[in-house]
């Protein structure tokens, strides 16, 4: 009798436990627990982009400066060409050699167009834009002292190891994989921008004075 009673009590406990398990309510609004996934910020492409982003932003700014300089240089070329043609047609005495001034204007116009194309290429990180930019920067070293300082910095950005890598196909794929990373222009580049604008302004004023004096 004792054995039967013990057996019946164990059966009752098992039945009660199973009944509680089956009757336990399920909350349909409970949050789903998932395994955490590593953040995208730890991917190799992101790390590469972060280590080169400052250099990339500076190169992009060089492209913008080239576009700005190309605008003023093209404008100056068109102005000199117009003055030369006007002097040849009307026989104005303001210009001693209209043909020479015409040649200078055509040269300025051609250089402005080439510089503008180079600026677009630098903005798009085209490899040929880097080569032409190095040539322009090497020539700019002759503009002592401010032109030398600016051009030397441009040469560093374009010819350094990071500069070469930024113009590679591999880095272009890195950019495509990291659209969430935004660029921020260095304060040094902004300083060079104001210096360059000052030089352009002085050049325009000098050209206008030489044309009318």
């Amino acid at each position: 009798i004792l054995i039967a009673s013990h057996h019946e009590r164990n059966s009752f406990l098992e039945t009660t436990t199973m009944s509680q398990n089956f009757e336990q309510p399920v909350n349909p609004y409970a949050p789903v627990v998932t395994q955490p996934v590593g953040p995208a910020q730890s991917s190799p492409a992101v790390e590469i982009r972060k280590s080169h982003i400052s250099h990339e932003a500076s190169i992009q700014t060089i492209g913008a400066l080239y576009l700005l300089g190309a605008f003023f240089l093209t404008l100056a070329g068109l102005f000199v060409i117009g003055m030369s043609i006007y002097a040849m047609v009307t026989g104005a005495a303001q210009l001693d050699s209209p043909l020479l001034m015409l040649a200078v204007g055509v040269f300025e116009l051609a250089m402005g167009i080439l510089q503008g194309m180079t600026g677009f290429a630098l903005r798009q990180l085209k490899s040929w834009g880097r080569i032409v930019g190095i040539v322009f920067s090497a020539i700019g070293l002759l503009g002592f002292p401010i032109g030398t300082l600016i051009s030397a910095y441009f040469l560093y950005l374009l010819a350094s190891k990071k500069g070469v890598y930024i113009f590679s196909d591999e880095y272009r794929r890195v950019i495509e994989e990291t659209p969430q990373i935004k660029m921020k222009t260095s304060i040094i580049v902004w300083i060079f921008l104001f210096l360059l604008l000052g030089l352009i302004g002085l050049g325009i004023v000098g050209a206008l004075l030489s044309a009318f004096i």
Side-chain angles (χ1 to χ4, degrees), residues 36 40-41 53 62 67 86 88 126 130-131 143 164 166 183-184 186 202:
Q41 285 77 5
I53 191 66
I62 291 178
L67 291 174
Y86 174 78
M88 287 187 291
K126 301 290 185 182
R130 172 181 165 271
I131 297 173
V164 174
I166 285 173
M183 293 184 298
K184 185 177 180 180
S186 171
L202 291 176

Side-chain angles (χ1 to χ4, degrees), residues 115-167:
Q115 187 170 333
M117 295 173 61
T118 304
F120 278 115
L122 290 174
R123 296 284 295 175
Q124 297 173 1
L125 301 181
K126 301 290 185 182
S127 57
W128 71 265
R130 172 181 165 271
I131 297 173
V132 179
I134 289 176
V135 174
F136 275 133
S137 299
I139 297 174
L141 292 174
L142 301 175
F144 184 84
I146 299 178
T148 303
L149 183 63
I150 296 176
S151 298
Y153 181 65
F154 285 4
L155 278 175
Y156 158 72
L157 292 174
L158 297 174
S160 63
K161 184 177 180 180
K162 282 187 175 182
V164 174
Y165 180 68
I166 285 173
F167 285 90

Side-chain angles (χ1 to χ4, degrees), residues 9-86:
R9 185 177 63 182
N10 289 341
S11 298
F12 174 77
L13 291 175
E14 292 177 359
T15 303
T16 304
T17 303
M18 293 177 61
S19 176
Q20 290 177 350
N21 291 335
F22 280 116
E23 294 177 359
Q24 184 176 3
V26 178
N27 183 5
Y29 301 102
V32 179
V33 180
T34 58
Q35 291 291 336
V37 180
Q41 285 77 5
S42 61
S43 68
V46 170
E47 296 301 324
I48 293 174
R49 187 81 187 281
K50 284 183 176 180
S51 63
H52 290 77
I53 191 66
S54 178
H55 209 97
E56 178 190 346
S58 298
I59 291 176
Q60 294 274 2
T61 306
I62 291 178
L65 294 178
Y66 270 56
L67 291 174
L68 183 63
F71 171 76
F72 288 109
L73 190 57
T74 302
L75 193 64
L78 291 174
F79 175 78
V80 174
I81 291 174
M83 290 292 296
S84 303
I85 295 175
Y86 174 78

